[in-house]
Amino acid sequence: SEMCIRDSIETAQKHLQKQNFDKALKEYLKAHEEDAKDVRVAQKLGELYYKTGNKKEAIKFYKLAGSIYSRDGFHQKAIAAYKHILDIDSNFNEIRLEVANLYRKLGLMAEATPQYREALKFYEEQGDRDKVLEILRNLVELEPRSVNNRIKLAEMYLKGGQREQGYTEFKRASDELKSAGTASYTH
């Protein structure tokens, strides 16, 4: 089947050189049927469907490519695949959250934070308490000095009846304010 896949890909590439996208698509789909886990094929199908204006299929294959890359530890490539989805439709907030988590795994906090913030806005509007909590916890870890995030997190805990966690976060927020306050007076 490795042979079949190679043949399909070679044929597809010939079609691509002649700008025959539909024929190229057919060949890549054949290759995909032979091996659904071939990430390069999934990626290519995402690109081709996008080029031919089929956004729904493009998203499906970019998602597949992203999840394979992510599973195999290729976080940068996963992010690239997922970002194509967000370019097509910025409302895919599960994907945005995935991108934020991947940036975080890579230690790229400055890239992770705005993605978390965007997702947070969306899930707050949706009233999705679990997601809001998950994101706020992440933001508090990423920006331990941000009193704002801590207070929001504390309020979420209290609303959900998790009083102990709520009070703990309020206490941390007030400690943070105190240390910030004293810091600004010491010369």
Side-chain angles (χ1 to χ4, degrees), residues 61-124:
F61 282 105
Y62 278 133
K63 237 185 206 166
L64 176 62
S67 70
I68 297 171
Y69 278 136
S70 179
R71 191 199 62 204
D72 294 342
F74 296 108
H75 298 329
Q76 289 283 16
K77 287 182 170 176
I79 288 170
Y82 287 144
K83 279 193 146 176
H84 285 302
I85 296 172
L86 293 172
D87 288 341
I88 296 169
D89 183 348
S90 62
N91 288 319
F92 272 87
N93 281 281
E94 318 84 80
I95 295 288
R96 188 179 299 289
L97 207 47
E98 194 51 38
V99 168
N101 291 333
L102 287 168
Y103 273 136
R104 195 177 161 185
K105 276 183 186 160
L106 288 167
L108 300 171
M109 305 317 181
E111 277 82 0
T113 305
Q115 301 290 344
Y116 279 128
R117 286 228 176 90
E118 271 298 295
L120 181 64
K121 267 201 310 233
F122 171 79
Y123 288 115
E124 280 177 336

Side-chain angles (χ1 to χ4, degrees), residues 21-30 45 48-49 52:
F21 295 128
D22 292 337
K23 284 182 180 166
L25 255 174
K26 274 199 189 90
E27 291 299 327
Y28 273 112
L29 281 170
K30 259 192 235 167
L45 281 165
L48 283 171
Y49 274 119
T52 54

